Every structure is written in C-alpha cells, then in structure tokens.
Amino acid sequence: MDDVALAVVQHYAKVRRDLPWRRTHDPYAIWVSEVMLQQTRVQTVIPYWERWMAKFPTVRALADAPLDDVLAAWAGLGYYSRARNLHKGAQAVRESGLPSKASELRDVPGIGPYTAGAIASIAFGEKAPLVDGNVARVLARVFAITADIKSTAGQKALWSRAGELMAALPSPHAPGALNQGLMELGATICTPTGPRCLVCPLVKHCRAAIEGRQDELPVVAKRKGLDELPVLARAALWLQQGDEIVLARRRAEGLFGGLWELPQGDDRLEVARALGVTVDPDAVAYHDQVLSHRRLRIAVFRGGMPARLVAGALSGYDRIARFSLGEVGSLGVAAATTAILSKYEATPWNSIPKRSSSSPKATRRSSKGSAASGTTSRTRTSQKRRSARRRGSTS
DNA sequence: AATGCGGGGTA
DNA sequence: TACCCAGCATT
C-alpha cells in the first residue's frame, strides 16, 4: 500500500502539469478551481478560472457581487447550481474564511465529499482522501474493484482504498500531491480506453494490469442512450426592434436558474399571451441540445415588440427586460440562447470566445435547405421560411 | 438508490 | 453514436 502511495507522489513530482491553480496556495482560488472542475475538463476550465480570478479575486469580492455578475462569468460552463452555490458559499464564509478541515468544508454549499477532500489536502495539507472519476478508475484497476464505481458499494470501496492509501503516505510527502497524482494518472495514463500500462508507475502493483484485465475495469453501469432521453419541446420568442431585444431571467432555482434567455414557454401562444404580443405562426429556427437527462428542442418565433414588459407575467421567470445587443454579451446567457442569437449577424458576438463558434458572420443565406454549416450547435433555420422571411417583418 | 443538472471533447 | 469529464443536492 505504501509502495503505491510513494510511486504516485514520485511520478507526480516528475510529470505534474503546470496548471494555473497549481501556482497558488490561496484556498479560495483552489476552491474556485475545484468547483469549476466538477464534471468539467481541465482545458475547458482554464480560461474561465483566469477570468473569474481577475473579476472576483477574493471571497469578499465574490460575496459582494450580484448573482447576475456571477452567472455571467459562469455562462457556458454548465451546471449553474455550482455558480449559485459558490456565490452562496462565499457569502457564508465571507467573514470567517474557508474552513481548513474536510469535515467542516462539507458544510459549505456546493462542497461535497470530493471537493472537501481536494481543498483540505491541496490547500491545507490535511491527509484527506478524495475520489473523483479519475481516481475511481485508477483504484478500481489497481485493486481490482469489481463493483460498479457509481454504486454505493463501489463508492464505499473506493473511498476506503483512497483512505488507506493516504494513511500510508510517508510523512514528508504532501497529501495534495498524492491526490493530484492519482488524478493526473487517471487523466494521462490510466485512461478510460487504451490505458498506457507500459509507462504506468503502478504497473507492478496493479491487479488489473497483472491479470490483463485493464480493459474490463472499472465496471460502470451503462447510461441512457440518446434516444432514451425525454424530449422537452419549448417555444422561444425572438422579439427585436432595431438594436434592442427582449430577454427574460429564469427563476433562480432549477434548470438554467438565474440565466437570461429568449422568453420561452410550452408553446408560442402561451408566451405571446403572457407578453401581450403578436407572434408569427411559423418558427424561424430550431435549436436542439442534449442535456444529461433530457433533450431540448427549442422552436424560435418572431413577434412584435411588446409595449410594456411586466415582470412575472411569464411563468418560470422573475425578470423580463429589453437589452441593446451590445449588452447581451455581459449577461449570464446559457448556451442555447447564445447559439440561437449567434446565428444572426445583427447580434454582436462579444461574449466568451468558444472556439467552435466558428463564423458568426460568414455564410448565412444558403437558400437551400441543409442546415447552415459551420457551427456545432444544432440550430438550423427552418427551410421553407428562410428565403421568404429573413429578418425584420413584424415588429 | 435514483434523479436533476450543461456542455463539450473525442475515439 | 456513446462515453466521460477533478460531482453535488435532493428525493
């Protein structure tokens, strides 16, 4: 057991990637990184973390910021309860500072078993174990754990092993190095498919490798296929007049809670009635998006500009307002609405560069059917409408 | 124990 | 496609 722990920290010292949050000892900075990294890849997180730390450099700065600003900085990362909880957590520890022990960190909103272990070990040097997806894979192979790693039994076995490993770590070595070393191993060598056992420092200790079972472990329950996800159909209204567009803010809990989007409802007439506008009968675009547990299909309709906006008129939202196109980029807008808006060249694209946003400007047109090319989003303009309508009309 | 909760990279 | 990502909260 101590052989394994030692091999991990020694390997980590050798190959440790130079990530931005590894250059600091600030517990808050590490906290932010760990929350962003929940179910999110390192490469995705890096630019978000950099912008976040520049905008909210301290717990106090975050605690004092309006939730709107917090969500704007998070927009695009997904799982927005992470941002809401981080904000709430910052307010909770605004005066006292972040607790240093894993057991106390667990009381902070958004900090679960993994994140508590990560902050305690990395920022405070506590010998606290952790298990994430990477560590689960590594330990399941090294110790030949055959229980489903997502199951209660599997998690129990994994945390138990992780705890033993941490207890076996010789004292001069940093607990954070063991934990990060395990994760690093899972991310770079002990990968889900095609693990590179030939260069793995644990190969001599790994039951899976020794028995040639590295492709059979870990055992993980199959997830729902794409066609098994329930489809949620929504109607969104695109209400624009000149430079101004109508956006609504979702209530702070639940899906996309607190984010701004084109006002949506179950059908176009519901939304039109709530806002007191007329709306075109035919959709100008559809946007499909796959979430963890459902598929989203948003039909986009053009309509007239409402004379007066009443907060609370549309269920599910707590605010509704007009924004100039230039302001949209500084709002917390989820990916679906961002993708829809970006299809129209009238919308300035000054929000976070998302690599694949490709050409907000190019093409369009394609008066032929075939979805507009170039973007990874599934937004596409309905075929029959596009040549006829294009922008303007109504309003 | 199961479900809700985003978005994107990749084999 | 399907899989998975430095998971957490709620039921």
Side-chain angles (χ1 to χ4, degrees):
Chain A
M1 190 60 77
D2 40 343
D3 288 346
V4 175
L6 204 55
V8 170
V9 292
Q10 287 173 346
H11 178 255
Y12 180 63
K14 208 176 307 179
V15 304
R16 179 182 198 273
R17 285 174 293 175
D18 179 30
L19 304 176
W21 45 87
R22 286 182 177 167
R23 296 183 167 193
T24 176
H25 294 288
D26 177 12
Y28 164 70
I30 292 168
W31 177 18
V32 172
S33 76
E34 292 301 340
V35 174
M36 286 186 171
L37 286 163
Q38 290 167 12
Q39 297 291 286
T40 309
R41 291 169 196 283
V42 166
Q43 292 310 313
T44 302
V45 166
I46 290 174
Y48 279 90
W49 186 86
E50 301 275 15
R51 286 192 299 268
W52 187 281
M53 294 308 298
K55 193 168 177 58
F56 313 113
T58 63
V59 168
R60 195 170 290 259
L62 177 58
D64 292 344
L67 181 58
D68 259 345
D69 292 354
V70 173
L71 288 173
W74 199 276
L77 260 187
Y79 285 136
Y80 296 94
S81 67
R82 294 184 294 170
R84 300 194 298 268
N85 281 333
L86 193 50
H87 188 226
K88 195 182 305 176
Q91 292 174 339
V93 304
R94 186 180 188 279
E95 311 300 336
S96 58
L98 206 55
S100 62
K101 289 165 49 183
S103 56
E104 298 170 10
L105 285 161
R106 283 301 317 273
D107 296 334
V108 178
I111 297 185
Y114 162 77
T115 306
I119 297 173
S121 65
I122 297 169
F124 297 109
E126 182 186 352
K127 295 186 79 168
L130 61 75
V131 175
D132 73 329
N134 288 308
V135 176
R137 186 167 53 251
V138 172
L139 298 183
R141 284 174 175 156
V142 170
F143 298 111
I145 296 171
T146 54
D148 175 1
I149 59 173
K150 301 284 202 185
S151 72
T152 305
Q155 283 290 307
K156 191 176 170 198
L158 291 164
W159 278 90
S160 174
R161 292 298 192 179
E164 294 170 23
L165 220 43
M166 182 59 77
L169 182 69
S171 70
H173 295 286
L178 175 60
N179 285 336
Q180 295 185 83
L182 287 168
M183 293 191 280
E184 199 89 345
L185 220 44
T188 62
I189 292 178
C190 196
T191 47
T193 61
R196 304 160 56 207
C197 302
L198 289 179
V199 298
C200 180
L202 300 184
V203 66
K204 288 201 292 289
H205 309 285
C206 180
R207 276 190 58 186
I210 291 168
E211 300 170 9
R213 301 163 58 197
Q214 66 270 26
D215 292 326
E216 303 164 23
L217 295 171
V219 174
V220 50
K222 205 171 85 67
R223 67 193 56 225
K224 279 186 178 171
L226 195 59
D227 50 355
E228 301 178 84
L229 299 178
V231 177
L232 181 62
R234 301 280 286 174
L237 261 50
W238 177 301
L239 310 178
Q240 181 174 353
Q241 185 175 51
D243 179 53
E244 292 201 313
I245 188 167
V246 175
L247 295 178
R249 191 178 70 183
R250 297 180 70 112
R251 292 188 300 115
E253 61 276 4
L255 186 63
F256 302 125
L259 294 172
W260 292 88
E261 62 185 19
L262 295 178
Q264 296 175 25
D266 291 333
D267 62 76
R268 72 181 223 287
L269 292 179
E270 172 201 336
V271 189
R273 191 163 49 242
L275 299 186
V277 299
T278 60
V279 56
D280 291 354
D282 299 305
V284 294
Y286 288 91
H287 177 77
D288 291 327
Q289 183 178 8
V290 180
L291 309 181
S292 306
H293 287 279
R294 62 183 68 177
R295 303 171 71 163
L296 213 52
R297 157 155 287 224
I298 303 171
V300 183
F301 299 87
R302 304 291 299 238
M305 180 61 80
R308 197 164 50 87
L309 294 169
V310 180
L314 185 58
S315 79
Y317 300 90
D318 62 3
R319 286 191 60 191
I320 182 161
R322 302 165 63 145
F323 294 93
S324 72
L325 295 173
E327 294 175 286
V328 174
S330 60
L331 292 173
V333 177
T337 291
T338 296
I340 291 166
L341 295 182
S342 72
K343 300 297 284 187
Y344 293 77
E345 59 270 24
T347 302
W349 193 242
N350 53 1
S351 63
I352 311 318
K354 306 269 256 62
R355 289 195 357 177
S356 60
S357 68
S358 64
S359 54
K361 228 146 197 46
T363 60
R364 249 30 76 198
R365 188 64 0 126
S366 94
S367 54
K368 233 39 207 166
S370 84
S373 60
T375 63
T376 56
S377 82
R378 299 275 182 121
T379 305
R380 60 186 186 284
T381 304
S382 132
Q383 326 197 163
K384 9 183 198 214
R385 302 259 48 87
R386 61 180 315 137
S387 48
R389 197 150 318 241
R390 297 283 306 157
R391 66 193 39 268
S393 71
T394 59
S395 83

